[in-house]
Each structure stands twice: as C-alpha cells, then as structure tokens.
Amino acid sequence: MTRLHRRTFLIGGLASAGVTLLSSSSANAIAYPFTLGVASGEPTADGFVIWTRLAPSPLNADGLGGMSSAAVTVEWQIANDPNFSGLAASGTVSAVQTAAHSVHVEVAGLAPGREYWYRFRAAGHISQVGRARTAPAPGTSPALTMLFTSCSHYEAGYFTAYRRMAEENPDLILHLGDYIYEGGAGSGVRSHQPSAEITSLANYRVRHALYKRDTDLQAAHAAAPWAVVWDDHEVENNYANLTRADSSPAGDFTARRTAAYKAYYEHMPLRSAQAPSGANLQLYRRLRWGSLATLHLLDTRQYRDDQACGDGTKLCPAADAPARTITGAGQESWLLDGLGQHQGTWDLIGQQVFFAQKLAAADGSKSMDSWDGYTANRKRIQDGWQARNVTSAVVLTGDVHRHWASNLMNDYATQDKVVGTELVTSSVTSGGDGNAADTGTSSLNPHVKFHKNQRGYVRTVTSSTQMAVDFRVLDKVTVRDYPVKTAQSYVIQAGNPGLQAP
Ligand code: FE
Ligand code: CA
C-alpha cells in the first residue's frame, strides 16, 4: 500500500494517471498552485512543521490566490533522501479558503538530529522539494550552524542574501522581523503590490504572496527549517500593542492588527500553538536544540507600552520609568523562568530591537523604539539571568539595517562587567546598498564593538565550548547576484560572555 501510494505520488505530476486519481473532485482544474514555494520550521527532536499555500494566481486582489471556495486535499510526504526513494511519513491535509488555502502540517515521530526532505501534491501538481531537519536529541550537543537575518524590503533590493543563505546549507535559519513591509509602492528596484499601504486581510495576503513569489526567498525557505518572529512592519511601522504609530491610513487598528496577524500565520511555517485568536497571536516560544542551546524567541511588539516620548531618538527620562515594559509582564516572567531551566549550554534570545544601551548623543538621547526606551525591563532581564547563573546568553537582534556587535554590561554607565553578548544582523535589503566606509561606533558606547552599514546576515557555528560568529555582507543588493563575504568575525566562549577575536 505504501509502495503503491509512493509510486502514484511520484508520477502524479507527469502522467495522467495521477491526475485521474484525483478527478473525482474538481481539483484537476487548478493551475499550478505552488507559486509561493514550500517551507519548514519549528524543529523539535522528533519533527517540524511543513508549510505551503495553494495560489495559482497569487496576486489576485481578493487575496484568495485564484482558488475557489472549495476545500482541496493536499498530500504530503517526508523522505529520508532527496530522491524520495524511502518515505519516513506521509499523509493528507485539507486546504480551506478561510486559511487562504495555506497548510501547516506538524510532522512528528521522526528521528532526532538528521535531515529530511518534503514535498506536497495537490490537484495533480507536485511542489518543489524542501529540506528540513530535526533538532538533536536531548543529552547530545552536535555543532549548530545557524543563520539569522531581518528586514527584507521588497523594493529596496533583490533578495540575493536569502539565496546566499540557502547556499550555506545551514541547520536553522532565524528571521527576526520585518519579513514584509506594509507601505505602498515607492521608488526602488521593484514595486510593492498592492500599490497602497495595506490594512485589510486581502491586502496583507497579497503582500505576503508578492514576497513569497521571490525565488531567492523560496530557496532559503526550501534549504532549512526557519524560526520566525515579527517586528513592526508585518503590521505597521513602530506600532506598540494596540497603539498605532500614526493615523494614516484611517481605520480601526485592532481590525488591522487582526488582519495582519492572520495573514502572517497563514504564510509562515508555524505550529497551531501560534494560530491567531482575533487580534492576539502567541508568538513568544522556546525551541530546544539538544543540550547545546535553548532558543528563546520573543515578541517585543504585541505587549509593549507605547514609546515613551514618541518615536525616534530622544532625550527622554520617562523611558527609564520602572513600570515600563517592552515584553509585557507575562512574557518577562516566562523568559526568566526559561533562563532558569538551564536546558542547554547556550541561551540564545532571538528578538527584534536593539538590546544594549546605545547613546546617540552625550546628553543621553536614545532610540525610543528599542530597549533603551524600556531600560527597567532590560535591567530586570539582565539581573534575572545573572541571578540564575546564566553565563552563555547571546541576544540575537534585527531591526536597524546594520550589523552591530556589543558586550552586554551589568551597568552601562560605569561599564561594570560583561554579562552577555548581543549580535545584531543587518537587513536582507532595507536601506539599499549601504556604505562599507560608514562609521558607527562611538566613545559614548565603549561596549559596542562593531558596526557595518552593508546588507547581509549573521552566521553562527556553535559548539558546547564556543560560538564562531561571521558577519556576512553583500556589496550591492540593487544589482542581482552579488557574492557574499565576511566583514568581521568574533568568537564567544561558553561561560565567558563577550566578544573575542577569532
Ligand atoms: Fe526594518
Ligand atoms: Ca522594525
């Protein structure tokens, strides 16, 4: 039975026999539906999520991808090899219009610490093949090659960095936010669709589809499991909880956030635990990578207090008020509880906005959208990990469209002792080509060691004794197919926080 099933799957896209098998539904009238690629994510020691969305006409203005209201059966397969000669798991799932015909299959029962390949079939069409990987078993600590990036503005450049990430054959990819941008069409190397700023569910779906049609992005999704967290632009620039940053376009912001969160879930390889409930979506979560690392993934948008003195860089004593929060109280205690569990050698905190103090001027002006706008919250977390003897905390950050590397200090004013390390990735495209000659470090911030205004991503190779860090850059993103190179490297030693020369 299994062999027969596998055989019909293999020939289904090539010969009429496979189509005939499905012809009892109207599904065989669907044009090629896998225009948005495939993705995997959320690896555990026994499985991961696989994702796709059926969308033969992905940019249709109604956001429905050219699909009718009919549910469509989607077959899926997990194989032990890229040729699908041996299946590890298979099944079917129903793609329905209320989910924009997206599917999220939570595959379980697989072996730990190995790679698998997956694909889908629907209406006689076979998808691209993706490569996924299970996390290693608890008690084991094989080295982890992880890439992380953020801020992929479609108009600002080509997604070459995503293709270079795929070529590195990583075990895991993190996206730390600004996966899409909500603005209307502007000037750039290519144009946003829809052409106006997006606020409706249909328009968020079309925008996600526009990005997902990019073949460089599809290559990165197909190359490795991803773990994603959003920042602001998946909804609206600099929003804070249910407080909008500005009044344009007009409309109910709760309804807008509801639409944006739903479309985000529909397009990401997330588990059903992250399915939205109205205007809420439980995005903060943990992933365990054997006994090597615990990945604490944060959401610093959904629960934060509004920016203290408005957006931008300000001198703002109110930012230091003790009650202010960027995480919300629930997420703060969840993070500290998790840091106290010591499930892995490393505690990797994947999150959105600049964590270390970074003064913009001698008067104390700082960015209100970053943790500098919520300094008491930062201190409670840093003090909390010190109290729990967390000695290998590395904060992984996006948002600022630059590479940065910093030591995290017990006291930034006195530069008292290093208690952790922060690695900030630059963007895939946001900010355009950049300028390799820009300077950014300042005597105001002696703990901030590195800055580079070029696009790219960060590569970390982590073992139980050290993390090797490479800041990867491309000289241009407004021209396709530039190579990637390393602008700077560091080593972080387990149990000895801070940046060291490699
Ligand atoms: Fe951004
Ligand atoms: Ca941002």
Side-chain angles (χ1 to χ4, degrees):
M1 184 62 199
T2 300
R3 179 183 290 175
L4 177 65
H5 176 74
R6 181 166 73 240
R7 185 170 169 277
T8 47
F9 197 112
L10 281 166
I11 64 176
L14 305 172
S16 61
V19 177
T20 305
L21 281 175
L22 292 179
S23 64
S24 56
S25 74
S26 61
N28 61 348
I30 299 170
Y32 183 73
F34 298 108
T35 61
L36 307 181
V38 298
S40 71
E42 306 297 295
T44 62
D46 84 331
F48 39 75
V49 176
I50 55 173
W51 170 95
T52 194
R53 181 185 161 203
L54 308 181
S57 300
L59 302 182
N60 280 6
D62 63 7
L64 298 176
M67 298 292 288
S68 75
S69 61
V72 176
T73 298
V74 178
E75 297 168 82
W76 56 269
Q77 292 182 326
I78 308 290
N80 295 311
D81 63 282
N83 298 320
F84 286 78
S85 53
L87 285 191
S90 62
T92 62
V93 61
S94 185
V96 299
Q97 192 178 53
T98 52
H101 290 91
S102 64
V103 297
H104 302 73
V105 180
E106 298 185 47
V107 183
L110 303 179
R114 60 152 294 171
E115 50 187 359
Y116 289 95
W117 288 262
Y118 63 94
R119 63 184 176 183
F120 301 90
R121 186 175 74 169
H125 302 283
I126 294 185
S127 75
Q128 306 91 319
V129 172
R131 170 185 171 270
R133 167 173 281 282
T134 50
T140 68
S141 295
L144 164 65
T145 297
M146 182 176 77
L147 311 178
F148 61 97
T149 194
S150 72
C151 294
S152 31
H153 196 303
Y154 186 81
E155 298 187 318
Y158 298 106
F159 288 170
T160 315
Y162 279 141
R163 183 164 295 279
R164 299 294 170 247
M165 293 170 79
E167 290 164 355
E168 301 222 21
N169 206 29
D171 300 317
L172 184 64
I173 290 175
L174 306 186
H175 198 291
L176 298 174
D178 293 355
Y179 182 93
I180 62 163
Y181 281 73
E182 82 285 13
S187 59
V189 300
R190 49 189 181 172
S191 287
H192 265 163
Q193 294 182 45
S195 59
E197 183 167 337
I198 52 175
T199 60
S200 68
L201 177 59
N203 285 349
Y204 279 105
R205 283 170 166 168
V206 173
R207 186 61 56 82
H208 273 281
L210 177 71
Y211 280 56
K212 277 278 193 327
R213 281 171 75 247
D214 184 280
T215 54
D216 292 329
L217 174 55
Q218 289 185 14
H221 275 298
W226 285 40
V228 299
V229 286
W230 55 37
D231 190 28
D232 51 342
H233 287 287
E234 286 86 351
V235 182
E236 186 219 19
N237 179 47
N238 282 7
Y239 82 98
N241 193 337
L242 287 170
T243 302
R244 59 195 305 168
D246 59 51
S247 58
S248 176
D252 174 356
F253 187 72
T254 301
R256 183 178 184 182
R257 195 175 97 171
T258 301
Y261 283 12
K262 179 168 168 54
Y264 183 81
Y265 177 76
E266 288 170 349
H267 291 84
M268 292 295 168
L270 289 166
R271 292 182 184 273
S272 59
Q274 277 65 55
S277 174
N280 303 308
L281 187 155
Q282 170 75 47
L283 193 60
Y284 67 82
R285 63 200 188 278
R286 269 185 273 280
L287 292 177
R288 186 173 182 187
W289 199 265
S291 292
L292 180 71
T294 305
L295 204 53
H296 311 263
L297 295 164
L298 306 191
D299 175 358
T300 59
R301 281 292 155 195
Q302 191 173 178
Y303 314 102
R304 67 159 71 192
D305 292 329
D306 197 16
Q307 289 84 354
C309 295
D311 301 341
T313 297
K314 305 278 177 64
L315 175 60
C316 177
D320 304 322
R324 284 181 58 69
T325 183
I326 189 171
T327 58
Q331 184 174 200
E332 180 180 325
S333 56
W334 166 88
L335 175 58
L336 292 174
D337 285 351
L339 289 167
Q341 290 170 11
H342 301 283
Q343 291 198 327
T345 301
W346 298 86
D347 286 290
L348 309 179
I349 301 174
Q351 57 95 47
Q352 295 77 28
V353 292
F354 211 96
F355 188 83
Q357 176 173 294
K358 184 157 67 71
L359 302 180
D363 68 1
S365 297
K366 301 175 293 189
S367 167
M368 290 297 104
D369 193 58
S370 73
W371 288 77
D372 271 338
Y374 307 81
T375 53
N377 200 168
R378 177 174 61 206
K379 181 163 173 53
R380 288 193 298 272
I381 288 170
Q382 289 194 181
D383 289 355
W385 82 51
Q386 290 181 74
R388 289 161 179 77
N389 291 314
V390 172
T391 58
S392 303
V394 183
V395 177
L396 313 173
T397 302
D399 181 53
V400 287
H401 313 167
R402 304 283 193 280
H403 283 318
W404 295 89
S406 303
N407 292 336
L408 299 175
M409 310 304 292
N410 180 53
D411 186 315
Y412 291 96
T414 64
Q415 292 284 296
D416 176 51
K417 84 176 183 201
V418 179
V419 300
T421 318
E422 181 175 22
L423 306 173
V424 181
T425 178
S426 188
S427 55
V428 174
T429 54
S430 300
D433 290 335
N435 182 353
D438 278 1
T439 55
T441 53
S442 158
S443 60
L444 294 169
N445 305 296
H447 54 282
V448 178
K449 304 298 186 187
F450 173 65
H451 165 271
K452 183 64 74 178
N453 177 13
Q454 287 190 285
R455 309 291 78 81
Y457 54 91
V458 181
R459 178 175 65 201
T460 58
V461 180
T462 306
S463 73
S464 53
T465 57
Q466 70 165 40
M467 174 186 289
V469 181
D470 294 306
F471 285 93
R472 306 281 276 160
V473 298
L474 296 85
D475 282 335
K476 284 189 189 297
V477 294
T478 58
V479 178
R480 288 190 187 273
D481 290 334
Y482 263 65
V484 68
K485 59 190 178 182
T486 296
Q488 181 77 30
S489 298
Y490 289 102
V491 165
I492 304 168
Q493 293 185 340
N496 182 21
L499 300 159
Q500 298 184 10

